[in-house]
Amino acid sequence: QPYEAPFDDSDGDIVLRSSDGVDFRLYTVILRKASHTFHDLFTTPGLTSSDLTRDGLPVISLSDDARTLRLLLRHIYPVAGPELTDPDDVRALLRALDKYCITSQIAASERLVLGLAERAPELAYALACRFRLPAEVARRAARLTLRKPAGLAVLSEEDAAHVPGLQYHRLLAYQSRAVTAAAHAVKTFAW
């Protein structure tokens, strides 16, 4: 299978292979600078030695599928990144940013979650909790849930499982206080 563009640089010095067999020919210097995990992998003697080679370059097989690696590489490489609107893509990229200890992880994760919050505030809240983002990110997502408070019942079991009970309780209490305050304001205004 040919290398996947734009990750097919002829002078790249490493090949990352996805779990579904897609190869990415890359520069270790970019990967090392962007990721603590890759930094350790490429600077620890013997870790990148591999029996697998392609075009004379070592092949490192990863457990991530091509879709996830594509999202991650578009984030850390100097190429245009896609506009992420699919919650599955946002979730996959957040997992990869966390897994590979990307140096800009917190800022990137905040942008992703806040971008998702307009469309799926409960999911954004759950992801902010799951990936331990700053409290302000979860608060902003919680405010957006007030448009139609549904708690976290709209989440998949996987996403809901990562929201600690205390954070879930705080969201429900916040929604309850907001609904009560809105009802009081309407009642006061009606008189």
Side-chain angles (χ1 to χ4, degrees):
Q1 188 169 357
Y3 294 112
E4 178 156 320
F7 308 110
D8 58 352
D9 294 304
S10 61
D11 58 344
D13 57 351
I14 193 84
V15 175
L16 296 185
R17 180 168 291 158
S18 68
S19 62
D20 49 352
V22 177
D23 287 349
F24 300 86
R25 188 172 183 158
L26 306 163
Y27 299 103
T28 55
V29 67
I30 293 175
L31 297 172
R32 270 197 330 261
K33 292 291 185 188
S35 161
H36 296 294
T37 301
F38 287 128
H39 180 272
D40 292 348
L41 179 68
F42 299 137
T43 56
T44 303
L47 281 184
T48 55
S49 62
S50 171
D51 293 334
L52 292 173
T53 62
R54 179 166 180 190
D55 300 331
L57 301 176
V59 175
I60 306 297
S61 295
L62 300 175
S63 60
D64 305 287
D65 63 18
R67 178 178 144 260
T68 301
L69 286 177
R70 199 174 299 115
L71 291 168
L72 178 67
L73 293 171
R74 285 192 172 280
H75 174 76
I76 63 177
Y77 249 67
V79 297
E83 182 67 29
L84 296 179
T85 57
D86 182 342
D88 290 336
D89 288 343
V90 172
R91 189 182 300 105
L93 181 53
L94 287 170
R95 276 191 215 115
L97 291 169
D98 188 53
K99 176 181 179 178
Y100 292 103
C101 301
I102 301 301
T103 54
S104 63
Q105 171 191 354
I106 297 296
S109 297
E110 285 181 37
R111 281 192 310 276
L112 288 167
V113 169
L114 291 174
L116 180 65
E118 286 293 324
R119 296 179 308 282
E122 288 83 7
L123 178 57
Y125 181 83
L127 293 174
C129 294
R130 178 179 182 176
F131 292 101
R132 302 163 310 281
L133 297 180
E136 180 55 31
V137 177
R139 277 195 288 274
R140 288 175 66 184
R143 277 191 288 268
L144 291 171
T145 69
L146 295 177
R147 293 177 180 167
K148 187 178 176 187
L152 297 180
V154 297
L155 296 178
S156 71
E157 192 173 308
E158 176 195 351
D159 291 322
H162 293 285
V163 179
L166 179 59
Q167 271 83 8
Y168 184 58
H169 172 74
R170 285 179 177 160
L171 176 65
L172 293 178
Y174 171 71
Q175 289 174 338
S176 177
R177 286 191 310 273
V179 168
T180 301
H184 179 71
V186 168
K187 188 185 268 188
T188 303
F189 182 73
W191 290 103

